[in-house]
Structures are given as C-alpha cells and as structure tokens.
Amino acid sequence: MKEYIPIIKMSRIFADIQEQEIEPMLSCLQAKVIHYKKGDYIFRQGQYIHSIALLIDGRVHIQQDDYWGNRSIINIIHKGEMFGESYAMQQDEVFLNDVVAVENSTVMFFDINRMLTTCSSACSFHSKVIQNMFMVISLKNRHLVQKLGHMSRRSTREKLISYLSEEAKRNGNSSFSIPFNRQQLADYLSVDRSAMSNELCKMRDEGLLYFSKNNFTLLDSYNH
C-alpha cells in the first residue's frame, strides 16, 4: 500500500491527514486495491455497493446507456478523485449508472461503514475524513449544476460554447485540452456526434476557435 500514499495524500477526501496516519488509516478502513483493464466495469447499473472508491491511477467514466444503446456520460473521474459515495451511503439504493475504466486503472476501495463510524480505537482521522467527504460531495454537486447548465442550452452550438467556455475558465487559458474524444464529448453533451463535429467545423471556419483532436483554442472573436 505504501506506493499509493502520494495519491492518497493528494485526494481531497484525505486532505490534512498526516502521513504517519495513512497506513493505520488504510488498515482501519479495510482498504483494498483492484486493477482494471480498459473497458472493464467497476460498478454496474442495478448493483448494490458498500464501498467508496478512490481512483489511484487511470481514468473512469460514469455513464448510462438507454434501452436502445444510446450513451450519456454523466461524469469523468480523474486520478485522486472519489466515486460511488452517494450509493454506498444509501445501501438500499441500487446504482443507477455504469462505472467503466476508459484506461487501464487502479482503484482503492474503502468500507463505507468503517469510514462513517468511529472505531473502538478512536482513530484521530475519522472526523476529518467525514468532514472532507461532505466537502467533496458539495463540490460534486456544484460540478453537476455546471453540467446541467451546458445541457440546458437549446442548440448543439450553445452547448459547445457553454462547455468550452467553462473549460477555458477552469484552465485559466484560452488554449486547453479536454478529457474526451469526439464520441465521448457528444455523449457528455447528449448531442449527435456528426452534428456536433459539423458545428465545430463551422465554428472553426467562422474564426471562433481552433482545434486539433482534443486540444482547443478559443479565439478572440469568440468572446464578442
């Protein structure tokens, strides 16, 4: 477990936990590590889950497919981020989405009951972890509101403008990379891929932006 300590330290859920506390914490929370290959399912729709997951390495999508196979990407999980907490905390609720490794990934799982209940040893980190968890959930809710803002736009162009503008602000630069390929971006914004690609080309031809694969630059005329 020692090799995972740098990632654990950078995770928001374990912020301000002292390094000397991490190994005893992992034992107390019954942490276990599982490796997944690209395309493997970590959680499946309809499953009951009892663990909080922390992505140690790789990249994960939370997604949902409808009856006809149309896919919507609900969220993207990066290294050091937590997922599954909302359903683990309500253990009688089935998971409504699929969680899929989109790269070879390593995930650390923590028993939810161990995490939320102070143990007989009265480990000093427990109260801090619980505080951090609520901060993480609050941040996730804010990101969800941002996504709903993109989704509420009427046209494909408006959705692209909303999303790309937010990414530029988040990166503090008009040039940035996004964590999606074209199909994944279409799934995230719930638009048709061909229509979205055509719209991106039109925006490029109009001098609004430049793009190459998943690298984008918003041009000055974009802001007027």
Side-chain angles (χ1 to χ4, degrees), residues 1-13:
M1 292 284 188
K2 287 184 178 180
E3 66 267 33
Y4 304 126
I5 288 179
I7 299 299
I8 294 170
K9 286 175 62 179
M10 68 173 274
S11 172
R12 284 190 176 96
I13 193 172

Side-chain angles (χ1 to χ4, degrees), residues 8 11-18 21 25 29 52 82 110-112 114-117 123-137:
I8 294 170
S11 172
R12 284 190 176 96
I13 193 172
F14 297 120
D16 300 325
I17 303 297
Q18 300 301 313
E21 293 181 298
M25 177 192 73
L29 299 181
I52 289 177
M82 175 181 76
F110 304 93
D111 182 273
I112 185 62
R114 289 275 188 155
M115 185 166 279
L116 296 180
T117 305
C123 301
S124 60
F125 60 80
H126 258 115
S127 60
K128 188 61 182 176
V129 167
I130 293 171
Q131 290 176 10
N132 290 342
M133 186 183 302
F134 282 103
M135 290 295 292
V136 170
I137 291 172

Side-chain angles (χ1 to χ4, degrees), residues 55 73 80 161 198 209:
L55 186 61
I73 296 176
I161 288 173
N198 289 337
L209 54 79

Side-chain angles (χ1 to χ4, degrees), residues 168-207:
K169 291 176 186 176
R170 188 175 65 84
N171 285 275
N173 198 311
S174 60
S175 295
F176 53 89
S177 298
I178 65 172
F180 300 121
N181 60 32
R182 289 291 180 272
Q183 184 61 59
Q184 291 167 347
L185 179 58
D187 292 340
Y188 183 75
L189 295 176
S190 291
V191 296
D192 178 76
R193 176 182 174 176
S194 296
M196 184 195 73
S197 296
N198 289 337
E199 198 61 54
L200 282 172
C201 291
K202 289 179 183 178
M203 293 169 71
R204 178 195 60 198
D205 295 343
E206 292 171 19

Side-chain angles (χ1 to χ4, degrees), residues 48-63:
Y48 292 94
I49 65 175
H50 307 287
S51 300
I52 289 177
L54 176 69
L55 186 61
I56 298 295
D57 194 28
R59 189 155 53 94
V60 165
H61 283 177
I62 299 177
Q63 61 192 40

Side-chain angles (χ1 to χ4, degrees), residues 30-134:
Q30 295 185 344
K32 63 178 181 180
V33 172
I34 299 179
H35 302 282
Y36 296 91
K37 294 181 180 179
K38 179 179 178 180
D40 284 350
Y41 283 76
I42 299 169
F43 296 133
R44 285 185 178 271
Q45 183 177 353
Q47 179 181 353
Y48 292 94
I49 65 175
H50 307 287
S51 300
I52 289 177
L54 176 69
L55 186 61
I56 298 295
D57 194 28
R59 189 155 53 94
V60 165
H61 283 177
I62 299 177
Q63 61 192 40
Q64 189 174 75
D65 294 344
D66 65 20
Y67 183 83
W68 294 273
N70 300 306
R71 176 163 297 165
S72 177
I73 296 176
I74 310 300
N75 198 7
I76 180 170
I77 306 298
H78 299 280
K79 185 164 64 174
E81 292 183 345
M82 175 181 76
F83 59 97
E85 69 285 347
S86 296
Y87 292 94
M89 294 171 73
Q90 301 182 52
Q91 298 183 23
D92 57 343
E93 296 289 333
V94 297
F95 206 80
L96 296 179
N97 308 301
D98 294 318
V99 182
V100 181
V102 293
E103 299 175 355
N104 292 341
S105 299
T106 301
V107 180
M108 182 176 288
F109 296 91
F110 304 93
D111 182 273
I112 185 62
N113 294 318
R114 289 275 188 155
M115 185 166 279
L116 296 180
T117 305
T118 303
C119 63
S120 57
S121 302
C123 301
S124 60
F125 60 80
H126 258 115
S127 60
K128 188 61 182 176
V129 167
I130 293 171
Q131 290 176 10
N132 290 342
M133 186 183 302
F134 282 103

